[in-house]
Amino acid sequence: MENGAKKWGFQGKQGLDAASATNVRGYFNLLTGNINQDNSSVVVPLGHGDPSHFPSIRTTPAAEDAIVDALRSAKHNCYATTVGILPARRAIADYLNRDLSYKLTPDDVYLTIGCNQAIEVVTAVLSRPGANIFLPRPGYPHYEPWCAYNHLEMRHYDLLPEKGWEVDVDAVETLADENTAAMVIINPGKPCWNVCSYEHLNKVAETARKLGILVIADEAYDNLTFGSTPYVPMRVFGLTLPILTMGSISKRWVVPDIIDSITGFLNISSDPATFIQVWECADICYNRIQEIPSLTCPRKPGGSMFIMVKLNLAMLEDINDDMDFCLKLAKEESVIILPGIAVGLKNWLRVTFAIESCFLQEVLGRVKAFCQRHAKKQ
């Protein structure tokens, strides 16, 4: 270096930039940056999964009042314990116990700063030399960067659109070996809107038990269902195999090594905060997409706030792939839809319908106009 100065010994960690660019936020930021600023149309985030921006999808007043009461009580302004304050953990355990034949206690509950931190904790705890984990494809892409960061090998199993996005159980058995630590199952599905039946979850549970692997049940959309299939939490199978639900651990399978590791990780991580007409829109989204020949939706949504749509490239004359479709849609129509590659499924689209129903009608009209404009000439 100049003037004889020593070379600085610090540098950024390699791989973090690449990991952050390939998650949902990275794709969303890329698409947002492609918006044509000269276009007067309102920008619509159909790739965004946060419905709180829209007044018709508000938090219930009961929850708002509870937060206000807790704040004014001045009883919860202190630092929380690393695993979460006892009253909150007790309330969660009581809630989860409603549909269980066994009982959870507050000691089975660990609070994190949202489900994303729970993913961070679990991947860190399960990582060891040579270990691998099964992830669904398509799935929630927050798992991949944390698995890569923790050197936890990822093995993807497919969800089958022709079977309502059920788990390809045969593939799971083929992928497993003695180093398989766990498999992730997301139910209600994200981003596939599917709700797994009891029979299918039981088949998954039996397969995992036979293989001797932990099941991580990502149930962030617990009970957010509106189809004909009743919602069943994976924890009902907790008497036959180890189930780790995001937010609770099935009581019978509290494995000391895992529990000590989770507690230890939380001791050095951020403390949990002391504070904290989808059905109609799902129908609108499904029905309007059916009107667009170059888009295919295998089945009507049954849960969650997302829908996966197949992109028929053969019907479009100047669209190369799902990323190209989304970039041009953002530029021409100010509509942001997430490319399927962001969730592991190339040449599909992930669309959220968690916006105002009247607005959704207008926006899907823009998508239809875009597809007509780029349609191959007959």
Side-chain angles (χ1 to χ4, degrees), residues 16 26 38 62-63 123 152 157 159 193 206-207 221 242 246 256 285 291 294 310 314 320 343 345-346 362 370:
L16 281 182
D38 296 328
T123 52
L152 184 59
Y157 65 86
L159 302 180
W193 53 259
E206 286 299 318
T207 301
Y221 291 98
M246 291 303 178
C285 192
E291 300 172 2
S294 54
K310 177 69 173 176
N320 298 321
V343 293
L345 204 58
K346 187 174 177 59
E362 176 201 332
F370 173 83

Side-chain angles (χ1 to χ4, degrees), residues 66 70 73 75-81 83-96 104-107 109-111 247 272-274 276:
S73 73
K75 295 179 180 179
H76 308 293
N77 296 340
C78 58
Y79 288 113
T81 58
V83 295
I85 61 174
L86 180 59
R89 290 185 289 125
R90 181 182 293 118
I92 293 171
D94 291 342
Y95 175 82
L96 296 175
L104 299 170
T105 73
D107 291 337
V109 176
Y110 298 83
L111 298 185
T274 350
I276 300 199

Side-chain angles (χ1 to χ4, degrees), residues 307-354:
I307 187 171
M308 290 299 293
V309 179
K310 177 69 173 176
L311 184 60
N312 300 320
L313 291 173
M315 303 184 72
L316 300 168
E317 66 177 5
D318 56 351
I319 303 293
N320 298 321
D321 54 25
D322 54 332
M323 192 72 228
D324 190 34
F325 180 97
C326 293
L327 286 169
K328 289 176 178 174
L329 179 65
K331 186 173 184 178
E332 297 177 25
E333 295 289 347
S334 297
V335 176
I336 297 177
I337 289 178
L338 202 70
I341 191 67
V343 293
L345 204 58
K346 187 174 177 59
N347 292 333
W348 287 67
L349 307 171
R350 191 201 78 169
V351 183
T352 178
F353 45 82

